[in-house]
Amino acid sequence: MTDGLPTVPGLPMTRGRCPFDPAPELGVLRADHPVARMEFPDGHVGWLVTGYPQVRRLLADPRMSSRGDALRAPIPLPMATDRTEPAPGMFTAMDPPEHTRYRRAVAAWFSARRTRTLEPRLTELAGSHLDAMAEGKGEGPVDLVTGFAEPMAASAICELLGVPVSQRPAFARAIKALFAVHSSAEDAIAGWHTITGLLRGLVEAKRAEPADDLLATLVTDGRLTDEELVTVGSVLLTAGYDTSANMIALGTFALLEHPEQSAALAADTSQAERAVEELLRYLTVVHAGGIRAAGEDLEFEGHRMAAGDALSLSFAAANRDPVLCARPDALDVTREPVPHLAFGHGVHQCVGQQLARLELRIAFEALFGRFPGLRLGVPAAEVRTRPDMIIYGVQELPVTW
């Protein structure tokens, strides 16, 4: 290349000394070259964007495509195959108008008004998960991931979709196989097939006995085929589970490493809503970022992008951009909410963001209200993280009280 831009040899994913900070190289790029070239795993040279204004603008740019057959993953993935046309119902990998049709079918179920109706049930479930975690505590610490974060995440999305309580453990096991840190392609594909198989059975059950839940409503509506219903359900289930489980666990880890802030939250759990917004900005568990492809030749901030060029949009770097707030690398759950891109932006902004916010608020209120003396059960340096995954988090979080 002759334009003087650096070519990053791959997406920086290795964290520095602090497990909550993005890879240090991202901050350097954001300061010097918020739009840089990057080599993707398949050898394609595309773009890495790290500045908040730039990432936000590209997410809203209709010239950017999200079609699955146009995208390139910025990191090696166990299920990665040759780029193909997205399956019917895989609306996260589609552009309007196809994307719009599927999103409209589910959007009403994720509105702030609708999700608020789940608050009493989610509060009840949070309490029961904490009861079970407390009952299982022996002499040593307990794992917050398996004891609370994962069950809470599964409960929230399964309540909305209408997955019976008896089937939730099977769904959870399949999702864990799909997203396990060291899953082989075979394991990941097997996990996906298990999820879709379970959903096919659930679609048939909803058709036989209609109910007041998202999946049953889609079945009764009749506008989507069974294949579309299974794919839409799978997308919502997997997206809602892994991100939320890791936000609960990683957010708890961050709060415990800032004891003055966890103590303030324990003393006044009504501050949980503000804390959630700060944690979403500060942690950005979708640390592999968003991916797009240029749908046509275009110019962006003086850079010429060709149709088909792949883009990796770093939400983690963008959310720490100094243009957003003072001390962006500091966690401060008392500050006024700061704009962030944890849920993306534009037409593909996370449809489930209101449910995620409600779920996280309830989780942190319940956890620190129940265990105000919560603390790590091992030295922080021994907590194993997930730096090589699309969704960042901790593999386990031993805690005690």
Side-chain angles (χ1 to χ4, degrees):
M1 301 295 177
T2 60
D3 55 11
L5 281 180
T7 298
V8 184
L11 181 64
M13 299 281 281
T14 303
R15 305 263 167 159
R17 288 181 298 174
C18 176
F20 312 119
D21 291 343
E25 300 94 324
L26 292 172
V28 175
L29 283 167
R30 185 185 58 222
D32 298 336
H33 299 285
V35 181
R37 298 189 183 276
M38 187 182 87
E39 184 175 350
F40 284 69
D42 64 358
H44 170 81
V45 177
W47 303 87
L48 172 61
V49 187
T50 51
Y52 176 86
Q54 293 83 3
V55 171
R56 194 175 189 275
R57 281 175 53 205
L58 286 168
L59 289 171
D61 194 325
R63 298 172 298 178
M64 293 291 110
S65 176
S66 293
R67 285 189 59 84
D69 54 355
L71 304 181
R72 288 178 166 86
I75 62 174
L77 297 175
M79 285 183 67
T81 59
D82 292 338
R83 293 177 294 159
T84 58
E85 187 174 340
M90 188 68 71
F91 65 96
T92 54
M94 294 177 177
D95 292 333
E98 295 87 358
H99 165 266
T100 308
R101 180 171 74 90
Y102 291 113
R103 187 175 175 109
R104 283 178 178 166
V106 302
W109 283 86
F110 289 98
S111 68
R113 181 186 62 81
R114 171 75 74 166
T115 54
R116 277 196 298 270
T117 65
L118 292 173
E119 183 165 357
R121 177 60 175 156
L122 292 183
T123 300
E124 176 188 351
L125 288 167
S128 66
H129 294 319
L130 291 175
D131 287 343
M133 190 172 78
E135 290 171 7
K137 186 179 185 299
E139 297 280 329
V142 295
D143 178 22
L144 187 90
V145 173
T146 56
F148 183 60
E150 290 179 345
M152 186 67 195
S155 293
I157 191 62
C158 286
E159 283 289 318
L160 190 78
L161 283 172
V163 178
V165 174
S166 61
Q167 293 187 22
R168 292 177 189 179
F171 275 104
R173 286 192 298 271
I175 294 170
K176 287 184 72 173
L178 178 64
F179 287 107
V181 176
H182 299 297
S183 278
S184 65
E186 292 76 16
D187 290 340
I189 291 170
W192 178 258
H193 286 324
T194 299
I195 293 165
T196 56
L198 288 166
L199 278 166
R200 284 191 190 94
L202 197 55
V203 165
E204 289 302 317
K206 301 290 183 186
R207 184 169 285 118
E209 292 187 36
D212 185 24
D213 57 63
L214 189 156
L215 193 57
T217 300
L218 293 178
V219 170
T220 303
D221 181 73
R223 283 183 288 182
L224 301 183
T225 67
D226 281 9
E227 183 182 6
E228 290 173 315
L229 288 167
V230 168
T231 303
V232 168
S234 300
V235 169
L236 296 175
L237 191 68
T238 54
Y241 175 85
D242 203 40
T243 50
S244 295
N246 282 287
M247 263 306 302
I248 292 170
L250 188 65
T252 301
F253 184 21
L255 287 167
L256 295 181
E257 280 296 278
H258 295 79
E260 74 290 348
Q261 300 197 41
S262 60
L265 182 57
D268 182 8
T269 57
S270 68
Q271 298 301 310
E273 187 170 337
R274 180 176 293 186
V276 164
E277 291 305 311
E278 175 68 352
L279 288 166
L280 287 166
R281 180 200 69 81
Y282 178 72
L283 296 174
T284 314
V285 294
V286 187
H287 76 148
I291 53 175
R292 296 289 188 271
E296 59 185 71
D297 293 345
L298 60 97
E299 183 172 306
F300 181 77
E301 297 212 342
H303 306 293
R304 299 182 68 179
M305 298 179 179
D309 277 2
L311 292 92
S312 177
L313 310 177
S314 177
F315 298 162
N319 285 341
R320 297 289 191 94
D321 197 321
V323 304
L324 291 174
C325 60
R327 301 182 304 112
D329 290 320
L331 175 66
D332 182 1
V333 299
T334 67
R335 75 166 104 213
E336 288 296 318
V338 175
H340 61 73
L341 298 171
F343 297 113
H345 180 64
V347 296
H348 280 280
Q349 189 172 38
C350 175
V351 70
Q353 62 179 293
Q354 298 305 330
L355 176 62
R357 285 184 163 101
L358 175 68
E359 174 187 352
L360 294 172
R361 174 175 64 79
I362 290 172
F364 291 124
E365 283 176 349
L367 179 63
F368 287 97
R370 175 72 176 274
F371 304 121
L374 192 72
R375 63 186 187 278
L376 289 180
V378 298
E382 295 181 13
V383 176
R384 298 188 302 155
T385 59
R386 298 163 30 125
D388 52 349
M389 297 293 287
I390 290 178
I391 307 300
Y392 184 65
V394 293
Q395 295 186 41
E396 57 274 318
L397 187 70
V399 296
T400 191
W401 55 87

